[in-house]
Amino acid sequence: MKITAITTVPFSLPLRRAIGFAHGSMATTEHVLVEIHTDEGLIGRAEAPSRAYLYGESQVSMVEAVHLWFAPLLVGLDPFRTDTIRGILERTANNNTIKGAIDIALHDLIGQAVGQPCYKLLGGHTDRVRVTYVCGYSAPQEMADECAQVHESHGVTAFKVKVGVDPHKDAAALAAIRGRLPDALIYVDGNEAFSEKDALNMLAMAAEQRVAWAEEPCPAADTVARRRVAEHGAIPILGDDSCRTLSEVTREAVNGAIHLVSIKVARTGYRLSRDILGLAAAHGIRPLVGSQGDSGMGILAGAHFCAAHRATSALPAELSFHLNLAADILVEPPPIINGELLLGKGSGLGLVVDPDKLGRYRVDR
Ligand SMILES: [Mg+2]
Protein backbone atom coordinates (compact mmCIF):
# COMPACT_ATOMS: atom_id res chain seq x y z
CA MET A 1 0.00 0.00 0.00
CA LYS A 2 1.23 3.48 -0.85
CA ILE A 3 0.19 6.97 0.19
CA THR A 4 -1.14 8.81 -2.87
CA ALA A 5 -2.25 12.14 -1.33
CA ILE A 6 -2.83 13.94 1.95
CA THR A 7 -5.76 16.34 1.97
CA THR A 8 -7.08 18.72 4.63
CA VAL A 9 -10.44 20.24 5.50
CA PRO A 10 -10.54 23.01 8.13
CA PHE A 11 -13.81 23.02 10.07
CA SER A 12 -15.26 24.92 13.03
CA LEU A 13 -17.94 23.72 15.44
CA PRO A 14 -20.31 25.72 17.65
CA LEU A 15 -20.26 25.18 21.42
CA ARG A 16 -23.51 24.88 23.34
CA ARG A 17 -22.25 27.84 25.39
CA ALA A 18 -18.93 29.65 25.84
CA ILE A 19 -16.43 27.82 28.08
CA GLY A 20 -14.49 29.90 30.63
CA PHE A 21 -10.98 29.26 31.95
CA ALA A 22 -8.27 31.28 33.73
CA HIS A 23 -7.08 33.13 30.58
CA GLY A 24 -10.44 33.84 28.91
CA SER A 25 -13.17 31.88 27.17
CA MET A 26 -14.06 30.32 23.82
CA ALA A 27 -17.36 30.12 21.89
CA THR A 28 -16.44 27.95 18.88
CA THR A 29 -13.78 25.31 18.28
CA GLU A 30 -11.37 25.11 15.34
CA HIS A 31 -10.09 21.90 13.77
CA VAL A 32 -8.45 20.52 10.64
CA LEU A 33 -9.51 17.14 9.25
CA VAL A 34 -6.49 15.29 7.81
CA GLU A 35 -7.16 12.55 5.24
CA ILE A 36 -4.40 10.22 4.04
CA HIS A 37 -5.37 8.59 0.73
CA THR A 38 -3.86 5.36 -0.61
CA ASP A 39 -3.61 3.39 -3.84
CA GLU A 40 -5.82 0.69 -2.25
CA GLY A 41 -8.70 3.11 -1.76
CA LEU A 42 -8.44 3.24 2.04
CA ILE A 43 -8.44 6.68 3.67
CA GLY A 44 -6.94 7.27 7.13
CA ARG A 45 -8.44 10.18 9.07
CA ALA A 46 -7.71 12.25 12.15
CA GLU A 47 -8.34 15.76 13.37
CA ALA A 48 -5.92 18.44 14.53
CA PRO A 49 -7.45 21.01 16.89
CA SER A 50 -6.18 24.59 16.62
CA ARG A 51 -5.20 26.14 19.99
CA ALA A 52 -2.94 29.01 19.03
CA TYR A 53 -2.35 30.15 22.64
CA LEU A 54 -0.87 26.75 23.49
CA TYR A 55 0.70 25.48 20.28
CA GLY A 56 1.01 28.43 17.90
CA GLU A 57 -0.82 26.62 15.10
CA SER A 58 -3.86 27.95 13.22
CA GLN A 59 -6.22 26.19 10.81
CA VAL A 60 -4.46 28.06 7.97
CA SER A 61 -0.93 27.21 9.19
CA MET A 62 -1.81 23.51 9.64
CA VAL A 63 -3.34 23.24 6.16
CA GLU A 64 -0.30 25.00 4.72
CA ALA A 65 2.16 22.78 6.62
CA VAL A 66 0.58 19.68 5.08
CA HIS A 67 0.57 21.01 1.53
CA LEU A 68 3.91 22.81 1.60
CA TRP A 69 6.02 20.39 3.65
CA PHE A 70 4.50 17.08 4.74
CA ALA A 71 2.39 15.76 1.84
CA PRO A 72 5.23 16.06 -0.73
CA LEU A 73 7.54 14.08 1.59
CA LEU A 74 5.05 11.32 2.42
CA VAL A 75 3.38 10.62 -0.93
CA GLY A 76 4.70 7.32 -2.30
CA LEU A 77 5.58 5.87 1.14
CA ASP A 78 4.07 2.76 2.73
CA PRO A 79 1.77 4.03 5.56
CA PHE A 80 2.86 1.13 7.80
CA ARG A 81 6.28 2.82 8.12
CA THR A 82 5.12 5.00 11.01
CA ASP A 83 8.57 5.28 12.57
CA THR A 84 10.24 6.29 9.32
CA ILE A 85 7.47 8.83 8.74
CA ARG A 86 7.87 10.27 12.22
CA GLY A 87 11.54 10.85 11.45
CA ILE A 88 10.59 12.62 8.22
CA LEU A 89 8.05 14.84 10.01
CA GLU A 90 10.67 15.80 12.58
CA ARG A 91 12.90 17.33 9.92
CA THR A 92 10.49 20.28 10.22
CA ALA A 93 10.47 22.05 13.61
CA ASN A 94 7.33 22.53 15.77
CA ASN A 95 3.90 22.08 14.11
CA ASN A 96 3.25 19.31 16.64
CA THR A 97 -0.54 19.25 16.43
CA ILE A 98 -0.66 18.68 12.69
CA LYS A 99 2.17 16.12 12.97
CA GLY A 100 0.15 14.35 15.68
CA ALA A 101 -2.90 14.20 13.41
CA ILE A 102 -0.85 12.72 10.55
CA ASP A 103 0.48 10.04 12.90
CA ILE A 104 -3.00 9.16 14.19
CA ALA A 105 -4.42 9.10 10.64
CA LEU A 106 -1.68 6.60 9.69
CA HIS A 107 -2.77 4.34 12.57
CA ASP A 108 -6.43 4.69 11.49
CA LEU A 109 -5.32 3.58 8.04
CA ILE A 110 -3.29 0.63 9.36
CA GLY A 111 -6.24 -0.46 11.51
CA GLN A 112 -8.49 -0.45 8.47
CA ALA A 113 -5.91 -2.35 6.42
CA VAL A 114 -5.62 -5.16 9.01
CA GLY A 115 -9.28 -5.04 10.10
CA GLN A 116 -8.59 -4.21 13.77
CA PRO A 117 -9.50 -1.25 15.99
CA CYS A 118 -6.61 1.04 16.96
CA TYR A 119 -6.80 0.16 20.66
CA LYS A 120 -5.92 -3.43 19.76
CA LEU A 121 -3.00 -2.35 17.57
CA LEU A 122 -1.61 -0.18 20.37
CA GLY A 123 -1.84 -2.54 23.33
CA GLY A 124 -5.35 -3.98 23.51
CA HIS A 125 -5.80 -3.65 27.29
CA THR A 126 -9.55 -2.88 27.29
CA ASP A 127 -12.33 -1.58 25.06
CA ARG A 128 -13.75 1.03 27.46
CA VAL A 129 -12.66 4.31 29.01
CA ARG A 130 -13.90 5.94 32.20
CA VAL A 131 -14.25 9.64 31.46
CA THR A 132 -13.75 12.90 33.32
CA TYR A 133 -15.97 15.91 32.64
CA VAL A 134 -14.17 19.25 32.47
CA CYS A 135 -16.17 22.00 34.15
CA GLY A 136 -15.39 25.51 32.87
CA TYR A 137 -15.33 28.66 34.97
CA SER A 138 -18.68 30.26 35.92
CA ALA A 139 -20.58 31.16 39.11
CA PRO A 140 -19.99 28.53 41.87
CA GLN A 141 -23.61 27.35 41.99
CA GLU A 142 -23.76 27.10 38.20
CA MET A 143 -20.59 24.98 38.21
CA ALA A 144 -22.08 22.65 40.82
CA ASP A 145 -25.32 22.40 38.82
CA GLU A 146 -23.36 21.61 35.65
CA CYS A 147 -21.37 18.80 37.29
CA ALA A 148 -24.46 17.35 38.97
CA GLN A 149 -26.33 17.41 35.66
CA VAL A 150 -23.55 15.57 33.79
CA HIS A 151 -23.47 13.02 36.62
CA GLU A 152 -27.26 12.55 36.26
CA SER A 153 -27.37 12.39 32.46
CA HIS A 154 -24.16 10.44 31.70
CA GLY A 155 -23.18 8.75 34.96
CA VAL A 156 -19.86 10.62 35.06
CA THR A 157 -18.12 10.44 38.47
CA ALA A 158 -14.85 12.29 37.72
CA PHE A 159 -14.63 16.06 37.30
CA LYS A 160 -11.90 18.54 36.45
CA VAL A 161 -12.75 22.01 37.72
CA LYS A 162 -11.16 25.19 36.36
CA VAL A 163 -9.80 27.51 39.07
CA GLY A 164 -7.58 30.58 39.14
CA VAL A 165 -9.70 33.69 38.59
CA ASP A 166 -10.74 34.46 42.20
CA PRO A 167 -9.70 32.42 45.30
CA HIS A 168 -13.02 33.00 47.11
CA LYS A 169 -15.00 31.84 44.09
CA ASP A 170 -12.68 28.85 43.64
CA ALA A 171 -13.30 27.79 47.25
CA ALA A 172 -17.05 28.33 46.92
CA ALA A 173 -17.21 26.34 43.67
CA LEU A 174 -15.28 23.38 45.08
CA ALA A 175 -17.40 23.35 48.23
CA ALA A 176 -20.60 23.49 46.16
CA ILE A 177 -19.49 20.69 43.81
CA ARG A 178 -18.28 18.51 46.70
CA GLY A 179 -21.59 19.12 48.46
CA ARG A 180 -23.55 17.86 45.45
CA LEU A 181 -21.17 14.98 44.58
CA PRO A 182 -19.71 13.65 47.85
CA ASP A 183 -18.06 10.57 46.26
CA ALA A 184 -16.80 12.06 42.98
CA LEU A 185 -13.15 12.17 41.93
CA ILE A 186 -12.46 15.90 41.68
CA TYR A 187 -9.30 17.65 40.51
CA VAL A 188 -8.58 21.27 39.64
CA ASP A 189 -6.87 23.02 36.72
CA GLY A 190 -5.18 26.36 37.41
CA ASN A 191 -4.05 26.94 33.79
CA GLU A 192 -0.77 28.47 35.10
CA ALA A 193 -2.57 31.40 36.77
CA PHE A 194 -1.01 31.13 40.29
CA SER A 195 2.10 32.50 41.96
CA GLU A 196 3.96 30.08 44.24
CA LYS A 197 2.34 31.48 47.41
CA ASP A 198 -1.18 31.59 45.95
CA ALA A 199 -0.74 28.08 44.58
CA LEU A 200 0.19 26.70 48.01
CA ASN A 201 -2.88 28.38 49.52
CA MET A 202 -5.13 27.03 46.77
CA LEU A 203 -3.75 23.49 47.17
CA ALA A 204 -4.43 23.59 50.94
CA MET A 205 -8.00 24.78 50.30
CA ALA A 206 -8.47 22.07 47.64
CA ALA A 207 -7.18 19.36 49.99
CA GLU A 208 -9.98 20.24 52.43
CA GLN A 209 -12.47 19.39 49.68
CA ARG A 210 -10.69 16.07 49.01
CA VAL A 211 -9.43 17.27 45.63
CA ALA A 212 -7.21 14.50 44.23
CA TRP A 213 -4.57 16.60 42.44
CA ALA A 214 -4.04 20.00 40.80
CA GLU A 215 -3.17 20.65 37.17
CA GLU A 216 -0.65 23.38 36.33
CA PRO A 217 -1.14 25.90 39.14
CA CYS A 218 2.08 27.80 38.20
CA PRO A 219 3.42 29.06 34.86
CA ALA A 220 5.39 26.52 32.83
CA ALA A 221 8.39 28.89 32.81
CA ASP A 222 8.54 29.28 36.64
CA THR A 223 10.91 26.36 37.13
CA VAL A 224 11.83 26.99 40.77
CA ALA A 225 8.30 27.82 41.93
CA ARG A 226 7.01 24.67 40.24
CA ARG A 227 9.47 22.44 42.08
CA ARG A 228 8.69 24.05 45.44
CA VAL A 229 4.94 23.80 44.91
CA ALA A 230 5.28 20.12 43.94
CA GLU A 231 7.41 19.50 47.06
CA HIS A 232 5.39 21.46 49.59
CA GLY A 233 1.85 21.53 48.19
CA ALA A 234 -0.93 19.67 49.99
CA ILE A 235 -1.90 17.60 46.92
CA PRO A 236 -0.04 16.16 43.87
CA ILE A 237 0.61 18.17 40.70
CA LEU A 238 -0.50 17.21 37.18
CA GLY A 239 1.58 18.52 34.28
CA ASP A 240 -0.22 19.55 31.11
CA ASP A 241 0.70 22.80 29.35
CA SER A 242 4.29 22.35 30.57
CA CYS A 243 4.38 18.86 29.01
CA ARG A 244 3.63 19.37 25.32
CA THR A 245 6.58 17.33 24.04
CA LEU A 246 8.78 14.46 25.17
CA SER A 247 11.60 16.85 26.07
CA GLU A 248 9.25 19.08 28.08
CA VAL A 249 8.00 16.07 30.05
CA THR A 250 11.63 15.12 30.69
CA ARG A 251 12.38 18.64 31.98
CA GLU A 252 9.39 18.59 34.36
CA ALA A 253 10.22 15.08 35.58
CA VAL A 254 13.88 15.91 36.22
CA ASN A 255 12.85 19.13 37.98
CA GLY A 256 10.58 17.14 40.30
CA ALA A 257 7.71 19.46 39.33
CA ILE A 258 4.99 16.89 38.50
CA HIS A 259 3.49 13.75 40.01
CA LEU A 260 1.14 13.04 37.09
CA VAL A 261 1.28 13.88 33.39
CA SER A 262 -1.52 14.59 30.94
CA ILE A 263 -0.99 12.83 27.62
CA LYS A 264 -2.86 14.46 24.74
CA VAL A 265 -2.63 12.54 21.50
CA ALA A 266 -3.64 15.74 19.69
CA ARG A 267 -0.17 17.13 20.35
CA THR A 268 2.00 13.99 20.43
CA GLY A 269 0.14 11.58 18.13
CA TYR A 270 0.38 7.91 19.04
CA ARG A 271 4.13 7.45 18.49
CA LEU A 272 5.34 10.17 20.85
CA SER A 273 2.54 9.55 23.35
CA ARG A 274 3.88 6.02 23.79
CA ASP A 275 7.37 7.43 24.36
CA ILE A 276 5.92 9.69 27.08
CA LEU A 277 4.28 6.64 28.69
CA GLY A 278 7.68 4.98 28.99
CA LEU A 279 9.31 8.13 30.30
CA ALA A 280 6.55 8.58 32.89
CA ALA A 281 6.91 4.98 34.06
CA ALA A 282 10.67 5.43 34.49
CA HIS A 283 10.09 8.47 36.73
CA GLY A 284 7.16 7.09 38.73
CA ILE A 285 4.80 9.67 37.18
CA ARG A 286 1.19 8.59 36.66
CA PRO A 287 -0.18 9.22 33.15
CA LEU A 288 -3.72 10.21 32.31
CA VAL A 289 -5.26 10.97 28.93
CA GLY A 290 -6.30 14.59 28.44
CA SER A 291 -8.31 16.27 25.72
CA GLN A 292 -7.53 19.27 23.56
CA GLY A 293 -11.03 20.60 22.93
CA ASP A 294 -11.52 17.76 20.45
CA SER A 295 -14.59 16.95 18.40
CA GLY A 296 -15.87 13.36 18.36
CA MET A 297 -13.03 12.32 16.07
CA GLY A 298 -10.30 13.51 18.45
CA ILE A 299 -12.18 12.05 21.42
CA LEU A 300 -12.12 8.63 19.73
CA ALA A 301 -8.40 9.00 18.96
CA GLY A 302 -7.71 9.66 22.66
CA ALA A 303 -10.03 6.85 23.76
CA HIS A 304 -8.24 4.24 21.62
CA PHE A 305 -4.91 5.28 23.14
CA CYS A 306 -6.29 5.28 26.68
CA ALA A 307 -7.99 1.88 26.37
CA ALA A 308 -4.92 0.31 24.77
CA HIS A 309 -2.66 0.69 27.81
CA ARG A 310 -2.93 -0.45 31.43
CA ALA A 311 -1.20 2.68 32.70
CA THR A 312 -3.60 5.14 31.04
CA SER A 313 -6.69 3.05 31.83
CA ALA A 314 -5.96 3.30 35.55
CA LEU A 315 -7.27 6.89 35.75
CA PRO A 316 -10.31 8.47 34.08
CA ALA A 317 -9.60 10.32 30.81
CA GLU A 318 -10.74 13.82 29.89
CA LEU A 319 -12.67 12.51 26.90
CA SER A 320 -16.01 14.25 27.23
CA PHE A 321 -15.38 17.61 25.58
CA HIS A 322 -17.74 16.71 22.73
CA LEU A 323 -20.66 16.93 25.20
CA ASN A 324 -20.10 20.72 25.04
CA LEU A 325 -20.42 20.83 21.25
CA ALA A 326 -23.70 21.74 19.54
CA ALA A 327 -22.63 19.82 16.40
CA ASP A 328 -20.09 17.29 15.13
CA ILE A 329 -18.88 16.00 11.76
CA LEU A 330 -19.35 12.33 12.75
CA VAL A 331 -22.62 10.55 12.01
CA GLU A 332 -22.76 9.74 15.71
CA PRO A 333 -20.39 11.32 18.27
CA PRO A 334 -19.22 8.68 20.79
CA PRO A 335 -21.86 8.20 23.51
CA ILE A 336 -20.97 8.29 27.21
CA ILE A 337 -23.07 5.89 29.26
CA ASN A 338 -22.61 5.14 32.97
CA GLY A 339 -19.54 7.37 32.92
CA GLU A 340 -17.84 5.27 30.25
CA LEU A 341 -17.03 5.55 26.59
CA LEU A 342 -17.25 2.14 24.93
CA LEU A 343 -15.16 1.53 21.80
CA GLY A 344 -16.85 -0.41 19.01
CA LYS A 345 -15.49 -3.22 16.88
CA GLY A 346 -14.94 -0.96 13.85
CA SER A 347 -11.44 -1.05 12.38
CA GLY A 348 -8.99 1.82 12.83
CA LEU A 349 -10.58 4.63 14.83
CA GLY A 350 -14.05 3.44 13.81
CA LEU A 351 -14.92 6.84 12.34
CA VAL A 352 -17.97 7.51 10.20
CA VAL A 353 -17.85 11.09 8.88
CA ASP A 354 -21.15 12.63 7.79
CA PRO A 355 -20.43 14.41 4.46
CA ASP A 356 -23.41 16.76 4.88
CA LYS A 357 -22.25 17.86 8.33
CA LEU A 358 -18.67 18.29 7.10
CA GLY A 359 -20.05 20.41 4.24
CA ARG A 360 -21.94 22.59 6.70
CA TYR A 361 -19.03 23.18 9.13
CA ARG A 362 -16.04 23.37 6.81
CA VAL A 363 -14.60 26.87 6.63
CA ASP A 364 -12.62 26.73 3.39
CA ARG A 365 -15.61 27.51 1.14
MG1 LIG B 1 -4.88 22.04 31.05
Side-chain angles (χ1 to χ4, degrees):
M1 186 160 56
K2 292 219 179 321
I3 297 170
T4 52
I6 305 180
T7 55
T8 51
V9 182
F11 64 99
S12 292
L13 297 171
L15 285 159
R16 292 183 194 279
R17 61 192 179 88
I19 295 179
F21 50 97
H23 299 299
S25 74
M26 64 180 184
T28 57
T29 60
E30 298 181 346
H31 318 253
V32 173
L33 169 66
V34 175
E35 295 183 305
I36 302 182
H37 305 257
T38 63
D39 60 354
E40 295 187 9
L42 296 176
I43 301 173
R45 294 184 176 88
E47 73 158 308
S50 163
R51 295 290 174 275
Y53 57 92
L54 286 171
Y55 306 113
E57 293 172 84
S58 70
Q59 285 170 308
V60 171
S61 79
M62 291 194 280
V63 167
E64 193 62 15
V66 169
H67 297 292
L68 186 64
W69 298 321
F70 301 136
L73 292 169
L74 302 191
V75 165
L77 293 180
D78 177 349
F80 278 79
R81 297 178 64 195
T82 53
D83 198 65
T84 308
I85 290 172
R86 174 180 144 192
I88 292 170
L89 295 178
E90 287 182 358
R91 289 185 212 152
T92 304
N94 304 320
N95 294 280
N96 293 327
T97 317
I98 193 67
K99 288 176 184 171
I102 291 171
D103 183 61
I104 294 167
L106 288 172
H107 285 82
D108 178 43
L109 193 52
I110 292 167
Q112 293 177 51
V114 301
Q116 293 292 333
C118 282
Y119 74 86
K120 286 201 176 179
L121 299 181
L122 294 168
H125 178 60
T126 179
D127 62 356
R128 59 195 62 222
V129 170
R130 187 180 159 216
V131 305
T132 295
Y133 179 76
V134 181
C135 180
Y137 210 81
S138 63
Q141 208 50 54
E142 272 178 50
M143 292 170 74
D145 289 345
E146 184 178 336
C147 294
Q149 197 209 325
V150 172
H151 173 67
E152 276 296 304
S153 57
H154 294 88
V156 173
T157 57
F159 297 88
K160 169 161 114 175
V161 178
K162 297 283 182 180
V163 295
V165 179
D166 173 333
H168 301 291
K169 275 175 73 178
D170 292 344
L174 286 176
I177 295 167
R178 180 52 84 203
R180 296 284 287 279
L181 297 162
D183 301 322
L185 171 76
I186 297 174
Y187 59 102
V188 294
D189 183 1
N191 284 117
E192 307 181 61
F194 292 82
S195 67
E196 178 183 338
K197 180 164 161 284
D198 291 345
L200 292 171
N201 289 335
M202 184 272 285
L203 298 179
M205 177 277 290
E208 284 176 25
Q209 299 297 342
R210 291 180 288 123
V211 168
W213 57 80
E215 177 173 327
E216 300 293 22
C218 298
D222 285 3
T223 309
V224 175
R226 294 174 66 83
R227 183 175 63 242
R228 288 201 288 241
V229 166
E231 272 173 15
H232 303 298
I235 57 175
I237 302 297
L238 166 64
D240 173 26
D241 305 336
S242 66
C243 295
R244 297 169 302 177
T245 62
L246 187 63
S247 61
E248 287 185 350
V249 182
T250 307
R251 180 195 65 204
E252 295 305 302
V254 168
N255 189 35
I258 56 171
H259 306 95
L260 303 101
V261 64
S262 181
I263 296 181
K264 295 184 173 175
V265 299
R267 62 189 175 204
T268 41
Y270 285 157
R271 293 281 328 175
L272 287 173
S273 294
R274 297 190 89 181
D275 289 350
I276 292 174
L277 269 189
L279 177 70
H283 285 269
I285 291 167
R286 300 176 76 190
L288 67 78
V289 170
S291 148
Q292 201 56 74
D294 312 287
S295 74
M297 187 177 281
I299 293 289
L300 280 172
H304 278 275
F305 186 84
C306 183
H309 304 97
R310 282 175 300 141
T312 43
S313 292
L315 293 174
E318 298 168 359
L319 297 175
S320 61
F321 184 83
H322 58 306
L323 299 180
N324 299 301
L325 292 170
D328 205 289
I329 62 164
L330 297 183
V331 169
E332 192 195 3
I336 293 170
I337 299 164
N338 294 330
E340 284 188 332
L341 193 155
L342 184 63
L343 291 166
K345 295 192 177 7
S347 60
L349 295 175
L351 304 172
V352 187
V353 174
D354 183 325
D356 293 337
K357 291 181 184 173
L358 182 60
R360 198 173 319 151
Y361 296 108
R362 66 189 301 166
V363 292
D364 56 346
R365 286 185 181 158

